[in-house]
């Protein structure tokens, strides 16, 4: 399966039959290279990915400054140190799941809930980890 298929069919899927889906999603290598992304995923800077990777190595490093993605600042909220970073901005937010080789990113806006976004992103991330990715 291509990485684009994972984005299109698993990250940008209809959530729980609600007809809603994530606003944007991407799979990005640890080095910041884009493996696949939705057409509307924001253009991000290499420094933004470097800072996200640093937070996985040093949990809490993003908390004072917030997490930036595509120029948007997200307040870092509870995640799983070394595995998941969650960010919130107004009625939306972002979930970042780290696998052995990549970062899975899902961006959402209402009516999608933080829990729904977490479930979609983390479920695929857990699957890829099981596959040795």
């Amino acid at each position: 399966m291509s990485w684009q298929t994972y984005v299109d069919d698993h990250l940008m899927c209809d959530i729980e039959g609600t007809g809603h889906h994530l606003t944007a999603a991407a799979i990005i290598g640890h080095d910041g290279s884009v493996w696949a992304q939705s057409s509307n995923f924001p253009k991000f800077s290499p420094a933004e990915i470097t800072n996200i990777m640093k937070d996985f190595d040093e949990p809490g490093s993003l908390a004072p400054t917030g997490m930036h993605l595509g120029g948007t600042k997200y307040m870092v909220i509870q995640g799983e140190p070394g595995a998941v970073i969650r960010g919130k901005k107004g009625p939306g937010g972002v979930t970042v799941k780290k696998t052995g080789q990549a970062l899975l990113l899902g961006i959402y806006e209402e009516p999608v809930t933080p829990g729904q976004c977490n479930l979609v992103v983390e479920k695929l991330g857990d699957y890829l980890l099981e596959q040795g990715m």
Side-chain angles (χ1 to χ4, degrees):
M1 190 180 317
S2 79
W3 291 112
Q4 192 62 50
T5 304
Y6 281 113
V7 170
D8 296 342
D9 295 352
H10 298 280
L11 293 176
M12 297 299 290
C13 62
D14 179 341
I15 298 172
E16 300 169 346
T18 61
H20 304 300
H21 52 81
L22 299 180
T23 305
I27 301 175
I28 298 172
H30 288 178
D31 62 358
S33 60
V34 175
W35 293 9
Q37 65 183 18
S38 61
S39 60
N40 58 345
F41 195 80
K43 182 161 176 46
F44 58 87
S45 73
E48 291 173 335
I49 300 305
T50 300
N51 290 335
I52 290 170
M53 287 299 296
K54 180 181 177 196
D55 194 81
F56 282 115
D57 295 334
E58 301 171 28
S61 66
L62 284 176
T65 59
M67 173 173 46
H68 292 79
L69 185 65
T72 299
K73 180 179 177 181
Y74 295 91
M75 180 177 67
V76 177
I77 54 175
Q78 175 204 354
E80 295 169 29
V84 179
I85 300 171
R86 298 183 183 112
K88 186 94 175 107
K89 177 174 173 62
V94 61
T95 301
V96 184
K97 170 76 174 181
K98 182 182 180 196
T99 70
Q101 301 172 27
L103 299 175
L104 281 69
L105 299 97
I107 299 173
Y108 67 93
E109 293 290 338
E110 285 183 334
V112 174
T113 67
Q116 288 171 322
C117 181
N118 296 343
L119 186 68
V120 168
V121 174
E122 293 172 36
K123 190 168 140 189
L124 180 58
D126 290 341
Y127 169 78
L128 292 175
L129 280 167
E130 288 169 14
Q131 305 306 307
M133 306 286 200

